[in-house]
Amino acid sequence: MNYELVIGLETHVELSTESKIFCSCGGHSSPKEPNDCVCPACSGMPGMLPVMNKRVVELAVTAGLMLNCDINKYTTFDKKNYYYPDLPCAYQITQINNPICVNGCVTLKTSQGSRDIRIKQIHMEEDAGKLVHSGKSSFVDFNRTSVPLIEIVTQPDFRSAEEVVTYLNKLKSMFRSGGISECEEGAMRCDVNISVRPEGSEEFGVRTEIKNMSSFEAIERAIRYEAQRHMDALEFETEELVQETRRFDDVSGKTFAMRNKETEADYRYFPDANLMPIIIDDEWLEQIKASKPEAVDEKAEAYREAGISDKEIDMLIGNHQLSKLLDDTVAMGCNPKDTAAWILTDCAGILRKDGKSINELTVTAEKLSAIIKMVDSGKINRNAGKKVLIAVVEDDVDPVAYCKEKGLDRKIDLSTVESTIDKVIGENSQAVEDYKNGKLKAMQALFGACMKELRGAGDPAVIKEILENKMKNL
């Protein structure tokens, strides 16, 4: 019998805010040591009341707009009651009755074609703390407690692991590009609800939930294992399927039961009387819409039309910092394709030699555009531009002043180029003889000597052409 896979996702995304959702402690990236970013409010001390972070609302609405959701202009908070050591209040502040965003949709393109994934809702909530296990002891780190989250809940519209990973990668690109979340280092976690049914059936099968996964590779492996487990149970009666929560073991590649799946009633939701309803009026909503980033698909198409390659587009779309640097530099009059090469090839290469990643790039659009314009105008050649860029990346120098200081912007006339080439040919008789004997690498050695003598000034293409002509006439 043929079976159909049915999957729904609950994706938790930590928001890029300066402070937590209900207090002034620092957000996701602030803590350096365990429990160094905790106050009486987020550690659950009696009598402490939550105070709503306005920026969380704005980012949640922005995410909803990016996913084509309806925005609830009246939204409230609820308490989700359960006990766990990393939850200091024994309840989590979340949304169930009036979530901030509902009825969205995102289109995926996979090897199986296009599919629309319906978004049931997006709601705001606070994160829990973290348990750290060491030997026979367990420790609680409350730094993550009350860090703001949005949870994106889909309808059960996925039919393959490929669709799930495509969707998560699209969310990651959208949210990073839009400055909503870093989507890294545990800032994006996913619960996978999965069931299997006979192909053509309209009834859902027994559902299991694979909890708290952050690796896309692991999610794909877990789905494939769990799908096969369900199909074996249905086809060969290897076990009785029950609704439960499971965990994925990365080493064995298998899922294991954790507990029976809780229902909504188990959490005893009730409205949080400490938080007033949030009213999003037309003026505020229009302000958020006005600042909404360009859609990822539209941005990618604009880059493609500018001649930027698909590989470069993937790198830019997935990194808000790089994308913004490109856009800001282009806005200053630079060519998009050339600018992308300066960022993704030259800047990345300089950082790589220093043992750094492209995410550590701190070059401003003003300085990058100054270098590019000096090269494009012929004031300096590309090699000199690369030298200036190295100095800017490593020491944050002023590019124009650096050019003047190092003499990189001096004009070299053809007579100077020719006399320099003659001098190099005269001083490198062995290389000249090797070239005459068919050793083509000798030409590169002579060219390098010319460029060194000219200190990188002059057009390399012109220098190479003159050199080759002189060598042919020897």
Side-chain angles (χ1 to χ4, degrees), residues 31-80:
K32 305 302 179 187
E33 300 291 337
N35 295 305
D36 72 345
C37 196
V38 180
C39 72
C42 59
S43 60
M45 294 294 102
M48 299 303 299
L49 297 178
V51 178
M52 185 63 204
N53 183 340
K54 181 181 179 181
R55 184 60 180 156
V56 173
V57 179
E58 293 173 340
L59 290 178
V61 171
T62 302
L65 294 172
M66 296 177 80
L67 294 174
N68 306 300
C69 292
D70 297 328
I71 308 301
N72 277 335
K73 294 185 177 181
Y74 177 90
T75 184
T76 59
F77 285 95
D78 306 278
K79 290 184 177 180
K80 177 181 179 181

Side-chain angles (χ1 to χ4, degrees), residues 24 30 48 89 95 116 127 142 200 208 210-211 269 280 296 304 320 370 377 391 411 445:
S24 59
S30 298
M48 299 303 299
C89 295
Q95 295 187 297
D116 288 338
D127 207 344
F142 287 126
T208 57
I210 311 171
K211 198 75 174 171
Y269 286 95
I280 303 173
V296 169
R304 196 170 288 112
H320 176 62
S377 66
K411 296 288 185 180

Side-chain angles (χ1 to χ4, degrees), residues 208-312:
T208 57
E209 179 183 36
I210 311 171
K211 198 75 174 171
N212 205 28
M213 305 190 69
S214 58
S215 161
F216 292 178
E217 179 186 1
I219 289 171
E220 185 171 9
R221 291 172 62 206
I223 289 173
R224 297 190 188 284
Y225 172 82
E226 191 66 7
Q228 190 61 55
R229 187 180 74 87
H230 279 238
M231 287 187 285
D232 289 345
L234 294 172
E235 187 78 18
F236 306 113
E237 298 183 354
T238 53
E239 60 179 304
E240 181 183 358
L241 294 176
V242 295
Q243 183 173 323
E244 62 185 356
T245 299
R246 300 178 71 87
R247 67 175 179 86
F248 177 71
D249 180 69
D250 199 49
V251 177
S252 66
K254 298 179 180 181
T255 65
F256 297 91
M258 293 173 61
R259 58 181 183 270
N260 291 338
K261 183 75 176 77
E262 295 94 342
T263 65
E264 187 174 305
D266 292 324
Y267 291 118
R268 306 184 312 282
Y269 286 95
F270 62 85
D272 191 330
N274 294 324
L275 286 162
M276 296 294 290
I278 296 171
I279 309 298
I280 303 173
D281 60 21
D282 292 339
E283 182 181 359
W284 190 14
L285 183 57
E286 288 304 315
Q287 289 174 357
I288 298 173
K289 286 181 178 179
S291 62
K292 181 176 81 73
E294 184 180 6
V296 169
D297 292 342
E298 294 175 6
K299 182 182 281 287
E301 187 56 35
Y303 285 164
R304 196 170 288 112
E305 290 176 358
I308 300 174
S309 70
D310 287 342
K311 182 178 180 181
E312 290 173 326

Side-chain angles (χ1 to χ4, degrees), residues 124-407:
M124 301 175 287
E125 63 183 21
E126 61 178 344
D127 207 344
K130 181 180 180 181
L131 289 180
V132 180
H133 305 288
S134 177
K136 295 182 179 180
S137 301
S138 293
F139 303 89
V140 184
D141 181 0
F142 287 126
N143 278 333
R144 202 172 64 185
T145 303
S146 211
V147 165
L149 298 174
I150 53 172
E151 181 174 346
I152 303 110
V153 183
T154 75
Q155 299 288 1
D157 290 344
F158 299 95
R159 296 296 178 265
S160 69
E162 181 190 5
E163 288 180 353
V164 168
V165 173
T166 300
Y167 165 83
L168 292 173
N169 273 310
K170 188 163 188 175
L171 283 190
K172 182 176 179 179
S173 294
M174 293 171 74
F175 291 164
R176 292 184 69 177
S177 175
I180 290 172
S181 174
E182 301 168 6
C183 294
E184 293 289 358
E185 299 177 4
M188 185 177 186
R189 308 188 295 274
C190 192
D191 299 338
V192 182
N193 293 279
I194 181 171
S195 65
V196 169
R197 64 187 178 188
E199 202 171 73
S201 173
E202 295 297 321
E203 294 185 11
F204 292 124
V206 176
R207 174 169 58 96
T208 57
E209 179 183 36
I210 311 171
K211 198 75 174 171
N212 205 28
M213 305 190 69
S214 58
S215 161
F216 292 178
E217 179 186 1
I219 289 171
E220 185 171 9
R221 291 172 62 206
I223 289 173
R224 297 190 188 284
Y225 172 82
E226 191 66 7
Q228 190 61 55
R229 187 180 74 87
H230 279 238
M231 287 187 285
D232 289 345
L234 294 172
E235 187 78 18
F236 306 113
E237 298 183 354
T238 53
E239 60 179 304
E240 181 183 358
L241 294 176
V242 295
Q243 183 173 323
E244 62 185 356
T245 299
R246 300 178 71 87
R247 67 175 179 86
F248 177 71
D249 180 69
D250 199 49
V251 177
S252 66
K254 298 179 180 181
T255 65
F256 297 91
M258 293 173 61
R259 58 181 183 270
N260 291 338
K261 183 75 176 77
E262 295 94 342
T263 65
E264 187 174 305
D266 292 324
Y267 291 118
R268 306 184 312 282
Y269 286 95
F270 62 85
D272 191 330
N274 294 324
L275 286 162
M276 296 294 290
I278 296 171
I279 309 298
I280 303 173
D281 60 21
D282 292 339
E283 182 181 359
W284 190 14
L285 183 57
E286 288 304 315
Q287 289 174 357
I288 298 173
K289 286 181 178 179
S291 62
K292 181 176 81 73
E294 184 180 6
V296 169
D297 292 342
E298 294 175 6
K299 182 182 281 287
E301 187 56 35
Y303 285 164
R304 196 170 288 112
E305 290 176 358
I308 300 174
S309 70
D310 287 342
K311 182 178 180 181
E312 290 173 326
I313 290 171
D314 288 341
M315 295 172 67
L316 291 165
I317 292 296
N319 191 313
H320 176 62
Q321 175 194 354
L322 298 185
S323 178
K324 188 176 187 307
L325 177 60
L326 174 69
D327 293 344
D328 291 346
T329 306
V330 169
M332 294 176 183
C334 297
N335 178 274
K337 183 178 179 181
D338 291 343
T339 303
W342 279 96
I343 295 172
L344 300 176
T345 302
D346 295 289
C347 290
I350 295 167
L351 290 167
R352 192 161 48 248
K353 286 181 180 179
D354 293 337
K356 299 178 180 179
S357 75
I358 190 65
N359 293 326
E360 297 176 77
L361 182 64
T362 58
V363 173
T364 64
E366 289 78 11
K367 291 186 176 181
L368 181 59
S369 66
I371 297 170
I372 295 172
K373 287 177 180 178
M374 285 192 290
V375 173
D376 289 347
S377 66
K379 187 174 183 180
I380 60 175
N381 62 38
R382 189 65 165 74
N383 284 345
K386 179 70 175 289
K387 291 180 180 179
V388 178
L389 182 65
I390 291 172
V392 170
V393 171
E394 294 182 347
D395 300 315
D396 195 28
V397 301
D398 178 89
V400 177
Y402 184 83
C403 274
K404 291 180 178 179
E405 178 189 341
K406 300 297 181 181

